[in-house]
Amino acid sequence: MTDAAWALFDNDDGDGDDADSFSGVSGVSAASRHNSIPLPWPSGVPLWLWPSISSSARGCRSSSSQDATSVRLLLMEEAEDVLPAACAWLESDGLGDVARAVHASVVRFGENGDNDDDDDDDGDINADECASSDALSALARGGNEQGTSAAGQHWQLAVAFPALFAAHRLVVRGKGNDAERALQLADRCEVLGTSLRAHRAVVALAESALPDESDTGADDNDMFPERLPVTDPTADEHPRLDRIPEQSDAMSVAAFHNRTQTSDRPFVLRGATFAKAEASTAPLVNLTRLRGGAIGARVVPVELGQKEGEQGGSTTMTLRELVDNYLVPSIHADSAVVNSPENGATRPPDVPPDSHRVAYLAQHALFAQCPLLARGLEAPPYVGVHLVKSVNAWIGTRHTVTALHSDADDNLLVQLRGFKYVVLFAPHEAPNLYAGVHPRAASAGDDGAGVGMFSPVRVEKYDADVHANFAQARGQHAVLGPGDALYIPRGWFHYVRSMSTSISLNYWWM
């Protein structure tokens, strides 16, 4: 799980399953650090041409042997620069076995990393994978100084380099699904937030051995719901909530800028053309393309909900696994709800409405990790006059929930597919929301000034005995559908629930 998306899993929501996440640290999640530097934003430019994903992120898609040799030399050069200190730290922390395994990976790779005819190639790959996995397991168990930033960097390097060595060997060997395995190993760096030149080079090398995406078009699995089930509850039941004001997509950039600079009030943009994506051809919103080729092989962090008797938590999986095992069943469940007898259907649904499992790719810098996914999408023109801090993807099933929190930056939440229900509260309502620094931030010595605040109140099912003052809080709410966007001023508390399978983007700017 990212630093910025703390999961709050429980089973008291009344609908059987959920995945709650807190996204209160804008722009500094572990998987997003390399994409959190303020960037000039050229409005109207397709996402795949943004400066944030230019040369260093896109890499060079070529598969010549000279490229493989150059990448190997870069790997060795960077390893020799940073690994000695990392291994020394591991030794001092009582992890000599891990340090020696990492060092052995460096030696093996230096001796025969380019040899795709080596009879011991399988053994070398397996040894490198084991060294990376052992370091990752030790990281999970925790060392004596794991919490310090310097220690965290040493851990990441010990995990990353053996994985990158194995990935390089796999691409050079080029058998079967070697290139996909290579991408999945390289993505260990992405998930941990490790910033290495060699990582980007290995990813580009592996991508060059795979098609960008599936060459097939949309199919039945890409049919995101276009209307809401009438039985889905909304905050109409909560009289203290007013509707968020709305604007049309005809709002000019100048008018948007003037409004956001002179007022700290949220508003919804209905039918925003930049939020509609280009038909169903954009890989991000076409599940067939999202699961295919080099895109589908990418490994991403996913938060899992739970049903009674099941285990929730966080994990990693490929985009292909996310689509096949979670999003497609959720879309079928969406259809079952929309076409249920309660909504006027003449026959019962083929799939029970809550038969899917809950999963959420939450607050992830997906375009920085996989720039191919930005094709077919345009940058919102309204943020063109600002310095963009980060861009995050939110892809999940029905019933995902982002807990009530505030952010330290202005935010534009763009709904590309599906429906989300949003509740907002002004900053002055913080006492009624029992808001404060998130416990994890407080334990790390963070006063929360730069990351926003967290509320423990469960908005749609709060405990009146524990949070009695919440009944006094007045807020605003809205349902966002495909093509809608919501401006959330900095400091405003927001709660978000997915009413269907959903794909969203959010943009933080300074």
Side-chain angles (χ1 to χ4, degrees):
M1 182 183 306
T2 64
D3 295 341
W6 289 296
L8 307 170
F9 299 106
D10 55 33
N11 195 38
D12 65 351
D13 61 356
D15 60 14
D17 54 7
D18 67 359
D20 292 358
S21 66
F22 169 61
S23 56
V25 187
S26 54
V28 294
S29 66
S32 307
R33 289 191 183 101
H34 59 278
N35 195 36
S36 62
I37 300 172
L39 300 166
W41 193 301
S43 61
V45 174
L47 297 189
W48 65 279
L49 291 178
W50 293 348
S52 60
I53 54 174
S54 60
S55 57
S56 64
R58 287 198 303 273
C60 176
R61 295 180 60 83
S62 174
S63 60
S64 70
S65 59
Q66 180 59 44
D67 284 334
T69 300
S70 299
V71 173
R72 174 175 174 269
L73 293 174
L74 177 60
L75 267 169
M76 288 303 301
E77 176 185 345
E78 204 160 10
E80 290 170 359
D81 284 344
V82 299
L83 271 184
C87 288
W89 180 87
L90 290 170
E91 288 274 7
S92 68
D93 202 45
L95 296 169
D97 290 346
V98 174
R100 286 187 289 275
V102 172
H103 179 262
S105 289
V106 178
V107 173
R108 280 194 305 272
F109 193 71
E111 291 176 348
N112 59 9
D114 252 354
N115 186 4
D116 57 344
D117 296 322
D118 192 341
D119 292 337
D120 294 328
D121 201 41
D122 281 335
D124 290 339
I125 292 171
N126 291 335
D128 291 338
E129 287 193 62
C130 286
S132 177
S133 297
D134 288 347
L136 190 60
S137 297
L139 171 60
R141 291 193 301 270
N144 296 335
E145 302 175 77
Q146 182 185 340
T148 68
S149 58
Q153 184 179 21
H154 293 321
W155 280 110
Q156 292 172 7
L157 295 174
V159 173
F161 275 101
L164 292 176
F165 295 155
H168 185 276
R169 293 181 190 276
L170 286 165
V171 177
V172 171
R173 188 176 69 174
K175 297 179 181 178
N177 65 342
D178 278 354
E180 287 198 7
R181 284 182 61 195
L183 274 178
Q184 292 160 18
L185 282 168
D187 275 337
R188 286 185 181 179
C189 304
E190 195 78 39
V191 173
L192 288 174
T194 310
S195 180
L196 296 168
R197 290 179 299 149
H199 164 240
R200 288 296 177 188
V202 171
V203 167
L205 194 65
E207 284 182 333
S208 69
L210 291 167
D212 287 359
E213 60 200 52
S214 171
D215 58 3
T216 58
D219 58 23
D220 290 341
N221 292 336
D222 295 323
M223 299 304 293
F224 284 82
E226 296 182 358
R227 65 185 180 93
L228 279 171
V230 297
T231 56
D232 194 296
T234 69
D236 289 329
E237 305 167 3
H238 303 278
R240 64 185 176 280
L241 297 178
D242 301 318
R243 291 285 175 179
I244 299 175
E246 298 182 6
Q247 296 288 330
S248 71
D249 184 40
M251 187 179 195
S252 68
V253 173
F256 180 93
H257 179 67
N258 181 67
R259 179 164 180 170
T260 57
Q261 293 299 304
T262 59
S263 172
D264 63 349
R265 309 293 293 179
F267 57 91
V268 174
L269 287 164
R270 294 292 185 191
T273 56
F274 62 81
K276 294 180 179 177
E278 296 184 4
S280 62
T281 59
L284 182 65
V285 297
N286 181 304
L287 297 188
T288 303
R289 295 179 179 273
L290 187 63
R291 69 176 306 282
I295 293 175
R298 303 312 296 270
V299 175
V300 293
V302 175
E303 299 171 16
L304 300 178
Q306 62 182 352
K307 296 181 181 178
E308 188 173 357
E310 294 183 353
Q311 182 67 38
S314 59
T315 187
T316 58
M317 65 182 69
T318 65
L319 284 170
R320 183 177 300 115
E321 291 169 329
L322 177 63
V323 170
D324 291 348
N325 299 333
Y326 296 93
L327 299 186
V328 169
S330 178
I331 286 176
H332 290 166
D334 293 334
S335 177
V337 172
V338 172
N339 297 313
S340 66
E342 291 84 353
N343 287 325
T346 58
R347 64 181 180 85
D350 296 327
V351 180
D354 289 315
S355 61
H356 70 288
R357 293 178 292 172
V358 176
Y360 208 9
L361 189 163
Q363 192 182 320
H364 183 54
L366 194 57
F367 296 145
Q369 178 183 2
C370 187
L372 295 171
L373 279 170
R375 292 180 178 176
L377 302 175
E378 289 187 2
Y382 300 117
V383 293
V385 295
H386 301 281
L387 292 177
V388 175
K389 192 168 184 179
S390 66
V391 183
N392 299 296
W394 305 76
I395 303 175
T397 64
R398 301 174 68 229
H399 299 321
T400 61
V401 172
T402 302
L404 187 61
H405 69 284
S406 68
D407 295 316
D409 299 296
D410 288 328
N411 188 1
L412 189 67
L413 174 62
V414 177
Q415 191 65 17
L416 297 178
R417 292 291 185 270
F419 295 85
K420 280 187 171 177
Y421 173 59
V422 184
V423 181
L424 304 180
F425 296 94
H428 70 261
E429 293 286 0
N432 289 329
L433 305 180
Y434 300 83
V437 178
H438 193 280
R440 292 197 183 184
S443 65
D446 194 327
D447 62 5
V451 298
M453 302 179 73
F454 168 76
S455 167
V457 176
R458 295 183 62 83
V459 172
E460 294 187 89
K461 52 188 75 67
Y462 78 98
D463 188 329
D465 294 330
V466 177
H467 301 127
N469 291 346
F470 182 63
Q472 308 303 317
R474 295 205 60 85
Q476 301 178 355
H477 70 113
V479 172
L480 302 181
D484 293 337
L486 170 64
Y487 167 66
I488 306 174
R490 70 188 66 183
W492 275 70
F493 291 87
H494 45 289
Y495 160 90
V496 185
R497 172 172 58 85
S498 292
M499 305 171 77
S500 70
T501 314
S502 171
I503 298 178
S504 314
L505 300 175
N506 90 285
Y507 309 83
W508 278 308
W509 69 86
M510 300 177 67

